[in-house]
Amino acid sequence: LWVEVSAVRAWGLRAADIGVLSKSASDPYVEWTLGEPSKENKPMHRSKPKSGTLNPEWCGSDDATVCFEVPVRPGSNLPPGPGGGGGGAALGGEDGEEPEAPELPEGVSADDVATALSVHLDVWDSDVGTGDDHLGRAVLDWHALVRGPQVLVLALGDRREEVSHKPPTGYLEVRVRWLAKARLDLLGACGLDARDGATSDPLARVR
């Protein structure tokens, strides 16, 4: 299943750049990471920063939109298990029968797999010459990605705390859409007219 996740806007962000002669603000941008961000698991996309604002608007622009494949278990709407197929796998097993769902290891639930396939959205303040400041994180879980087209408002929180009772550090509005993907194979042609004397140099155009 191919999905598109776009950052629409954010608001209520904290001012990471404290101004002396100018108003305090931030230069926010968004990073998308499939799974828990780490040194090994790098972000798959980042938007351009918006300068000097605590309420940035990306409006789903190209630089604030990422398309990716979300794995689903063949023949179902469940997350894949170990050894299971991804979103690009063909539906059905031999003779058109649905394949059996792979068993999960003991102590691992489908929800655990869905959590591992969540998209982490991190909002940062862009700084030149120094490290960027983290402004908040929201998690878009696997179930939200496969639920269908929707616009969601996500509360941002501290990335170091999985569950926090602190007030949100801001809010991020995102748009989720499904993308239709199709493959067309041109196998051959016959009975064509001879346009170059006795032969032709055929080409095909797909619109």
Side-chain angles (χ1 to χ4, degrees):
L1 174 67
W2 285 85
V3 299
E4 175 187 273
V5 178
S6 302
V8 179
R9 62 190 180 112
W11 64 93
L13 303 179
R14 70 179 178 88
D17 301 328
I18 306 301
V20 177
L21 300 178
S22 61
K23 186 177 180 180
S24 298
S26 290
D27 304 313
Y29 66 87
V30 184
E31 283 187 340
W32 288 252
T33 307
L34 185 58
E36 182 74 25
S38 65
K39 292 183 178 179
E40 294 74 26
N41 188 30
K42 302 294 184 182
M44 57 182 170
H45 186 70
R46 67 179 287 182
S47 71
K48 294 179 180 178
K50 295 293 183 178
S51 299
T53 178
L54 302 180
N55 305 293
E57 294 188 5
W58 293 277
C59 301
S61 58
D62 288 344
D63 75 281
T65 297
V66 60
C67 304
F68 55 96
E69 189 175 13
V70 177
V72 294
R73 189 177 302 179
S76 75
N77 60 348
L78 298 174
L91 294 179
E94 294 182 2
D95 301 325
E97 296 180 359
E98 291 189 358
E100 293 184 4
E103 294 185 1
L104 295 172
E106 184 178 354
V108 178
S109 67
D111 286 339
D112 294 330
V113 178
T115 299
L117 295 173
S118 298
V119 172
H120 289 67
L121 299 150
D122 287 281
V123 182
W124 295 83
D125 166 54
S126 178
D127 287 325
V128 178
T130 60
D132 292 352
D133 299 306
H134 193 254
L135 300 179
R137 168 178 291 175
V139 178
L140 196 57
D141 68 19
W142 181 90
H143 297 286
L145 294 172
V146 302
R147 194 171 292 135
Q150 56 189 314
V151 175
L152 301 169
V153 175
L154 307 174
L156 298 170
D158 193 325
R159 59 180 170 149
R160 295 165 295 186
E161 299 180 11
E162 292 186 5
V163 178
S164 176
H165 300 289
K166 297 179 181 178
T169 58
Y171 296 90
L172 177 66
E173 181 178 324
V174 298
R175 183 182 66 218
V176 180
R177 298 195 302 179
W178 287 357
L179 298 179
K181 291 282 184 177
R183 174 176 173 174
L184 176 65
D185 292 321
L186 300 178
L187 302 180
C190 60
L192 302 179
D193 293 335
R195 297 301 179 117
D196 301 330
T199 62
S200 292
D201 301 316
L203 62 86
R205 292 177 178 173
V206 179
R207 296 182 179 178

